[in-house]
Amino acid sequence: APTGYGVQCGGMAYRWLKYYDVRCLANWGLEGRALGLNGLQIYPKLMGDEHATLTAQLINTYWKYDVLVTLFDIWPGMFTQPQLVHHHWIPIVPVDHNPINEATLNNAMQAYKVVAMSKFGHEQFRRAGLESILIPHGIDVNIFKPSENKREDRKWLNEHSIPIDSRINVEMSEDDFVIG
């Protein structure tokens, strides 16, 4: 799916697919039946299975996977009984609270291993007394890098940006830090 998690999942899954039998469970963006995409088998979650727990259990009944790696927020209660899904559950966890959200910490404590996707998250797990492995999310530095033509970029941004308050005319300056 063209979401942040979808892009990161694709970036990891296709690399892993070169060495392992990898399959994906799409928590969002795929409905109906499984899809084969560039050699990667992608399963949709079952209708009504909000957090894909039942779907993961079903997949494990006919494809006995060794490890279940998840890439999503675990604080809403996803896999609150991971042993019912898989005994080697490894969540790749975003952490955006200081201190770490109690629900995230409680669910992470049930995991086989925990992967923090940022130094901040890794530090929050450490402070809470839970070991994690730091594997930062990556970006394609050939695409996302400092611009070489700031004047043209600023011109383009000024032509294509809409201010929050349409009564205020906003011009980008060389000192503005813009995230898109």
Side-chain angles (χ1 to χ4, degrees), residues 100-114:
I100 194 168
N101 176 306
E102 185 177 344
T104 298
L105 184 60
N106 289 340
N107 288 329
M109 289 170 58
Q110 298 179 62
Y112 172 67
K113 299 278 184 188
V114 175

Side-chain angles (χ1 to χ4, degrees), residues 46-112:
L46 298 169
M47 295 282 284
D49 187 13
E50 185 179 1
H51 302 303
T53 304
L54 298 173
T55 309
Q57 288 173 313
L58 177 63
I59 293 168
N60 193 34
T61 61
Y62 66 88
W63 176 53
K64 300 293 185 190
Y65 47 85
D66 297 317
V67 176
L68 174 64
V69 178
T70 59
L71 174 61
F72 52 47
D73 295 300
I74 62 172
W75 61 263
M78 297 160 181
F79 299 141
T80 53
Q81 293 182 304
Q83 65 279 8
L84 297 178
V85 179
H86 201 278
H87 59 283
H88 286 136
W89 172 49
I90 303 175
I92 301 173
V93 184
V95 175
D96 56 6
H97 289 80
N98 181 8
I100 194 168
N101 176 306
E102 185 177 344
T104 298
L105 184 60
N106 289 340
N107 288 329
M109 289 170 58
Q110 298 179 62
Y112 172 67

Side-chain angles (χ1 to χ4, degrees), residues 107-169:
N107 288 329
M109 289 170 58
Q110 298 179 62
Y112 172 67
K113 299 278 184 188
V114 175
V115 175
M117 61 173 69
S118 68
K119 289 181 182 178
F120 174 80
H122 184 63
E123 178 62 19
Q124 292 304 313
F125 279 120
R126 187 194 65 72
R127 286 183 182 170
L130 185 64
E131 184 179 332
S132 68
I133 301 163
L134 173 62
I135 303 177
H137 265 289
I139 60 165
D140 186 340
V141 294
N142 293 315
I143 296 172
F144 298 100
K145 61 185 175 187
S147 175
E148 294 176 12
N149 193 340
K150 292 184 182 353
R151 179 169 283 136
E152 284 299 313
D153 291 344
R154 191 170 47 259
K155 180 181 172 189
W156 187 92
L157 281 169
N158 284 325
E159 290 171 0
H160 293 88
S161 296
I162 299 172
I164 292 173
D165 184 342
S166 61
R167 297 170 295 178
I168 300 172
N169 184 26

